[in-house]
Amino acid sequence: MKTLLLLCLLGFLFFQAKAQDSVGRHWQAAVEAHPQRDTGRVNRLNTLAFVQRANAPQQTKAAYEEALNLSREIGYTFGEARALLGLGFYYRFRNQYELSLAYTNKARKLFIRLNDRLHEISCLYNLSYTASGQGNYAQAMAYSFQGLKLADAIPSQKWLTLLNTQLGNTSIALGEYQKARQYFVRGLKLARGVGDQDGIAHCVSGLGELCRIQGQWAQARSYFEQGAVLAKELNNQGGVTMSMYSIADMDERLGNYQAAFSAAFRALQRMKQLDDVGRIPLVQLILARAYLDTEQPDSAWAYGRAALLAGQRTGNKSTIRDASDVLAQASVDRRRFDDAYRYLALFVAYRDSLDNQEVTRRTAALQYQYALDKKQSQIQLLTHNQQLIRQQNRQQRLLLLGSLAVLVIVAGLSVLLWRNNRQNQRSNAQLQRQQEELQATQAQLVQAEKLAALGELTAGIAHEIQNPLNFVTNFADVSADISHELQTEARAGNYQEVEELANELEQNLHKITQHGRRASAIVKGMLEHARPSTSERKPTDLNALAAEHLNLAYESLRNKAPAFEVELIRDFEAGLEPVALVPPDIGRVLLNLYTNAFYAVQQKAAAATAHYQPEVQVSTRQNNGQVELRVRDNGLGMPAEVAKKVFQPFFTTKPPGEGTGLGLSLSYDIITKGHGGTLTFESREGEGTEVLITLPLNQAKVRGAAKKGAGIV
């Protein structure tokens, strides 16, 4: 079936290319038949460039540039704007974002001057894509929302669909997968309502990409196959080629290597014909992974190397990261271990860089959502005030009309009421000015608060990571000096000194590794804070989950300290109702609490007399529509001033290298924001600590908390 589909697509590509060549030749002949340097030639050049955009990019660029120069020469503003917009799309397809922004912004200014709303929406659409490609996702969403407002006012169903699709793509980049699905489904409903096949194709492709990014390969492949059929019906040559690439990617992920090779080679050939330099490395990576999985490391290395060089030329970090990973594995299979180490180091460096970008991206998304919510609240407040003013004006008008009705009887009273009405109008105007001043002041305060919060977070991160980095730098400098001294002693034949220096060098390297792992643990903890949970909640036996992770934590303790004994007291209530929760997340919380308890009793045992017996007690209870889980130890406990800070990120009482200070902060977010529960504790210095977790059995409360806490960093 897959082979038949591929043959159909290839046949369609052949006949479609013929059809597009025929259309291109028609407009080329129309341009040649009209040599006059007027608006007619400009319009023909712009149309020729548009119909050739999919299969002749260089001719497209030349036609748009000629149309642009001729339009400026004869003062034809509309032709100039169309040519500028066409060049904006051309450079965006080639990932040359700065040129795309420059041309598209110039085109937008001209279309605004011409009051051409449809082409202005097209400019905003391209600007949104370009900003997203640069990683400026907040600006990308702002452009999309501006376009939606214009499209809704016209109205234009085509652009409403496309802009919803673009919002979905931007939401995927921000990791907001639920919002992305909402945008795609909304666009799909709009397109199906009017039979817009092109809009349906865009939305289906977006849903496929959403499934792909979440690792749902089979479902993603199904969407891409639907997209291929739609692209074929629409004679969209580029769409068919991209569908072929996406299907090849999914076949490789699913282990259908023969189908993946066939589709990938044809997609690669097609992209080279179209000079699609931005996507060629993606197909090369598919082939590299497929060759690696089919134990052909030499071919995997060749295609991985080509993708790496392309990524380094364009500066695409994700391409460099993925290509380095494939090359490291292929080098191991080829027994080229020096190359494997070099590529692995490159992979780790770019993976960490992209992980840091992910934290920045989530922070930007949170800031943008905060600003948007604040703006909406201000709009609601202003609307409410305007309604009150209109209501007052209506009451005053009614009063004035009544006064006029009795004007014949009480002329003096009518004059008095008129003067009162004028005074009210002046008061309303003054109130309006005060409201505007208040809104401006509120905006400044919000901005100052955001900058202060961001500065505090940045300072905390820098401080925590700088400490291990200082150790790494210092020990590295010392190791370099030892290395030079070792070489000198070796040449002198002082082998005892050489052995002592080698031991010192080994100790320094061990310390560098230790502090490097600490920095890695800090970054990992930050990423845990930034990463929204995508797991589904399911009914879970909390007693079994608590017992399982207690055993895991205790085994871990025994591996580190085999001679240390702790009395474990399990007090689980029988018949406990299943609780709707995310087992991996709650398991992470339990392991953190158990580890802290074992650490407390271990520290007290080291300082206590022989009569001290370490104890850790875990109990569960159900009452008042919720379940309670308590973890109690008889360890060192904490003073009150320390207890106030335990949920602050980066705060820890453990010595350097033994804790990052993110465990309890992350646990608090999981329980309160992810599951709608509470996490509290009581601690007495010298006596021990008790931690209490409550989780609601009310499913509506759980869902509400999950929705409220989704995506919170």
Side-chain angles (χ1 to χ4, degrees):
M1 183 63 188
K2 295 176 182 176
T3 304
L4 178 60
L5 174 61
L6 186 58
L7 291 174
C8 291
L9 288 175
L10 291 173
F12 162 69
L13 284 173
F14 174 80
F15 288 112
Q16 183 191 25
K18 293 292 184 181
Q20 289 189 343
D21 286 343
S22 176
V23 175
R25 286 194 300 271
H26 167 76
W27 283 104
Q28 183 66 49
V31 170
E32 293 172 356
H34 194 94
Q36 299 91 335
R37 301 182 66 76
D38 58 10
T39 60
R41 182 171 179 81
V42 171
N43 292 336
R44 287 170 172 80
L45 284 168
N46 279 328
T47 304
L48 172 64
F50 181 79
V51 300
Q52 286 184 326
R53 69 193 187 285
N55 59 351
Q58 294 305 319
Q59 291 88 330
T60 293
K61 178 186 176 187
Y64 275 135
E65 288 177 340
E66 183 181 350
L68 177 62
N69 293 330
L70 180 54
S71 296
R72 288 173 172 172
E73 178 182 328
I74 64 176
Y76 182 28
T77 304
F78 178 72
E80 179 184 356
R82 280 190 64 192
L84 287 169
L85 180 58
L87 288 169
F89 273 86
Y90 168 82
Y91 285 115
R92 195 253 295 172
F93 290 145
R94 299 178 65 82
N95 297 338
Q96 295 175 263
Y97 296 124
E98 294 298 329
L99 286 172
S100 177
L101 281 175
Y103 280 108
T104 308
N105 276 317
K106 291 178 181 178
R108 185 188 176 194
K109 290 179 181 178
L110 293 178
F111 284 128
I112 291 175
R113 197 168 77 191
L114 294 169
N115 198 28
D116 188 334
R117 297 294 181 84
L118 278 175
H119 280 98
E120 184 186 352
I121 295 172
S122 182
C123 293
L124 289 167
Y125 177 74
N126 197 49
L127 288 171
S128 177
Y129 254 106
T130 304
S132 183
Q134 292 179 311
N136 191 353
Y137 301 110
Q139 184 62 62
M141 297 192 79
Y143 282 134
S144 294
F145 282 128
Q146 291 179 52
L148 276 176
K149 183 177 179 181
L150 289 176
D152 189 55
I154 291 177
S156 171
Q157 177 275 327
K158 167 192 170 183
W159 285 112
L160 285 172
T161 299
L162 291 177
L163 288 164
N164 270 288
T165 304
Q166 170 56 8
L167 283 169
N169 292 329
T170 307
S171 297
I172 290 178
L174 291 171
E176 298 289 338
Y177 301 135
Q178 185 60 35
K179 288 186 178 179
R181 181 171 295 278
Q182 291 173 357
Y183 284 125
F184 289 135
V185 171
R186 187 182 306 159
L188 191 60
K189 183 178 180 181
L190 287 169
R192 284 175 173 168
V194 295
D196 178 7
Q197 295 297 99
D198 185 60
I200 294 173
H202 276 82
C203 295
V204 167
S205 297
L207 288 168
E209 180 64 15
L210 178 60
C211 292
R212 185 193 70 78
I213 206 72
Q214 293 179 294
Q216 301 167 354
W217 316 125
Q219 190 173 356
R221 192 185 191 284
S222 175
Y223 279 122
F224 290 137
E225 285 182 340
Q226 295 178 45
V229 173
L230 290 168
K232 178 179 178 181
E233 294 174 356
L234 293 166
N235 290 333
N236 184 343
Q237 187 174 358
V240 173
T241 304
M242 282 308 301
S243 295
M244 185 181 297
Y245 149 74
S246 300
I247 291 171
D249 188 18
M250 294 304 96
D251 280 333
E252 189 277 329
R253 304 282 187 185
L254 291 166
N256 303 327
Y257 298 117
Q258 183 176 358
F261 279 125
S262 181
F265 277 122
R266 286 164 176 79
L268 181 61
Q269 180 183 7
R270 187 64 187 164
M271 289 178 179
K272 288 180 178 179
Q273 291 173 352
L274 297 176
D275 195 27
D276 191 353
V277 295
R279 295 188 178 94
I280 287 176
L282 303 179
V283 183
Q284 291 171 334
L285 279 173
I286 294 174
L287 289 168
R289 290 197 304 268
Y291 277 123
L292 192 64
D293 292 339
T294 54
E295 299 181 356
Q296 301 179 67
D298 291 338
S299 298
W301 189 90
Y303 280 101
R305 181 66 178 167
L308 176 63
L309 292 175
Q312 290 173 334
R313 283 195 300 271
T314 61
N316 190 311
K317 292 184 179 181
S318 60
T319 300
I320 297 173
R321 177 199 60 193
D322 297 340
S324 301
D325 187 23
V326 171
L327 287 170
Q329 297 178 59
S331 297
V332 170
D333 292 344
R334 299 172 72 206
R335 304 189 66 78
R336 301 286 296 271
F337 299 110
D338 289 343
D339 290 343
Y341 177 80
R342 181 163 51 89
Y343 287 124
L344 180 61
L346 187 63
F347 163 73
V348 171
Y350 277 89
R351 180 197 62 188
D352 292 344
S353 175
L354 289 170
D355 285 345
N356 290 338
Q357 287 184 355
E358 181 69 14
V359 174
T360 303
R361 181 183 305 149
R362 298 290 173 82
T363 303
L366 181 63
Q367 291 174 342
Y368 176 76
Q369 188 61 44
Y370 176 80
L372 182 62
D373 292 341
K374 197 71 177 179
K375 185 175 182 181
Q376 289 174 344
S377 298
Q378 292 175 348
I379 291 173
Q380 291 174 357
L381 178 61
L382 182 59
T383 302
H384 178 67
N385 290 338
Q386 289 175 342
Q387 290 174 347
L388 290 176
I389 292 171
R390 285 196 294 268
Q391 184 178 359
Q392 291 176 355
N393 289 336
R394 283 196 299 268
Q395 293 173 351
Q396 292 166 2
R397 284 196 296 270
L398 290 174
L399 182 59
L400 181 59
L401 290 174
S403 300
L404 291 174
V406 296
L407 183 60
V408 223
I409 304 171
V410 192
L413 181 60
S414 299
V415 174
L416 181 61
L417 290 173
W418 178 79
R419 292 180 60 188
N420 184 55
N421 183 58
R422 290 296 300 267
Q423 182 64 35
N424 286 337
Q425 289 179 350
R426 285 194 294 270
S427 299
N428 291 335
Q430 183 179 2
L431 176 61
Q432 183 70 23
R433 287 193 299 273
Q434 292 173 347
Q435 289 173 343
E436 292 173 354
E437 292 173 359
L438 176 61
Q439 290 168 2
T441 303
Q442 287 175 336
Q444 293 172 359
L445 290 174
V446 169
Q447 184 65 20
E449 181 182 351
K450 286 163 55 181
L451 292 175
L454 183 60
E456 183 179 352
L457 175 63
T458 305
I461 294 172
H463 174 74
E464 288 299 322
I465 294 183
Q466 189 61 44
N467 288 335
L469 290 183
N470 286 339
F471 280 109
V472 170
T473 303
N474 293 338
F475 283 122
D477 292 340
V478 172
S479 297
D481 295 338
I482 292 175
S483 177
H484 291 310
E485 187 176 351
L486 188 149
Q487 294 175 8
T488 302
E489 296 295 338
R491 285 193 294 268
N494 299 328
Y495 296 113
Q496 183 176 358
E497 291 292 332
V498 168
E499 184 177 358
E500 292 177 357
L501 291 171
N503 290 334
E504 291 182 18
L505 184 60
E506 182 180 3
Q507 293 174 5
N508 284 354
L509 293 176
H510 176 71
K511 293 175 181 177
I512 289 173
T513 302
Q514 178 184 359
H515 290 289
R517 287 174 177 168
R518 169 162 171 76
S520 177
I522 292 172
V523 173
K524 181 178 178 182
M526 291 160 50
L527 293 175
E528 290 294 338
H529 266 287
R531 185 177 297 113
S533 177
T534 57
S535 303
E536 294 182 357
R537 287 159 180 75
K538 58 184 180 181
T540 304
D541 185 348
L542 186 59
N543 287 342
L545 188 67
E548 176 187 359
H549 287 82
L550 180 61
N551 293 334
L552 289 174
Y554 187 63
E555 288 299 323
S556 176
L557 172 67
R558 294 300 302 275
N559 288 335
K560 296 178 182 177
F564 186 65
E565 297 287 341
V566 180
E567 182 179 0
L568 302 180
I569 303 174
R570 301 173 176 86
D571 183 16
F572 298 139
E573 179 174 333
L576 198 69
E577 288 186 28
V579 186
L581 48 81
V582 183
D585 289 355
I586 299 300
R588 187 185 310 160
V589 173
L590 293 173
L591 283 176
N592 184 64
L593 298 181
Y594 295 153
T595 302
N596 289 345
F598 289 144
Y599 180 85
V601 298
Q602 192 175 19
Q603 293 299 307
K604 186 172 182 179
T609 64
H611 301 293
Y612 172 68
Q613 175 59 48
E615 291 183 1
V616 173
Q617 178 178 349
V618 182
S619 63
T620 59
R621 293 291 184 272
Q622 177 177 333
N623 56 60
N624 297 326
Q626 62 183 13
V627 293
E628 298 178 352
L629 187 145
R630 298 177 188 269
V631 179
R632 180 183 302 161
D633 66 73
N634 62 344
L636 288 173
M638 290 178 286
E641 59 271 20
V642 174
K644 295 177 181 178
K645 303 178 182 179
V646 295
F647 293 127
Q648 295 180 6
F650 303 114
F651 177 80
T652 180
T653 59
K654 297 179 181 178
E658 295 189 25
T660 64
L662 292 170
L664 282 176
S665 175
L666 179 59
S667 299
Y668 185 83
D669 284 352
I670 291 173
I671 296 298
T672 60
K673 299 176 183 177
H675 291 79
T678 63
L679 192 155
T680 58
F681 74 98
E682 294 182 1
S683 185
R684 296 181 179 85
E685 188 174 8
E687 297 181 15
T689 301
E690 178 180 281
V691 182
L692 171 62
I693 295 175
T694 66
L695 295 171
L697 291 172
N698 186 339
Q699 300 307 304
K701 183 175 181 181
V702 174
R703 289 191 295 270
K707 182 177 180 181
K708 181 179 179 181
I712 293 179
V713 178

